[in-house]
Amino acid sequence: MNQTKRKHRVAPPAGPDKWEVRCGNNDAGKGWDQLCQAEPANTRWAWEQMSSEPAPSPPTTRHHRMKGSLSTRTFEGRTLPQWQLEVTGAARVWYLLDEERSTVWIVHAGPSHPKSTE
């Protein structure tokens, strides 16, 4: 686990009945920081969704499971369902739902659609 360093943002631990939200790769972490700078209110909303209701039922047009070949992704040797949150009209967060660990793994965050959806 990486250690929080001087001047780094501090994330709260998951509360009761909440999900841990973590970056699954370095690019996702960089993209998340960009979203926090560009769209703080919407990014906060996205974090709240992921930490409290990462798999809404029913899903919404702004928060849903990916479809087709994007519906799952292999992470640390396990195949996990992949979800998408629309942060703004163009900004997206993709994450994997790890029910075994009650963790959401962000695998993409950024101000535009990922190229794999174009």
Side-chain angles (χ1 to χ4, degrees):
M1 179 189 285
N2 289 336
Q3 188 176 32
T4 304
K5 297 179 182 173
R6 182 174 179 249
K7 295 188 179 181
H8 281 198
R9 183 176 26 247
V10 177
D17 300 321
K18 299 286 184 177
W19 290 69
E20 190 76 32
V21 179
R22 296 184 170 269
C23 289
N25 58 57
N26 289 337
D27 287 341
K30 291 174 190 172
W32 181 260
D33 286 342
Q34 290 173 349
L35 286 178
C36 288
Q37 292 293 316
E39 299 291 340
N42 287 13
T43 306
R44 175 67 189 199
W45 169 83
W47 181 86
E48 289 171 356
Q49 292 295 304
M50 289 184 289
S51 67
S52 64
E53 192 176 12
S57 182
T60 69
T61 56
R62 289 188 66 193
H63 190 184
H64 57 86
R65 178 134 183 224
M66 303 291 284
K67 296 179 181 169
S69 64
L70 297 174
S71 67
T72 60
R73 183 182 288 206
T74 301
F75 182 76
E76 296 183 341
R78 297 178 302 135
T79 301
L80 300 173
Q82 184 165 240
W83 285 71
Q84 173 176 268
L85 267 166
E86 180 181 320
V87 180
T88 68
R92 298 288 187 272
V93 173
W94 288 8
Y95 63 89
L96 306 176
L97 192 62
D98 188 342
E99 293 187 65
E100 184 179 307
R101 298 178 183 161
S102 297
T103 299
V104 167
W105 297 100
I106 298 173
V107 293
H108 168 82
S112 60
H113 293 272
K115 296 214 182 301
S116 54
T117 61
E118 295 175 355

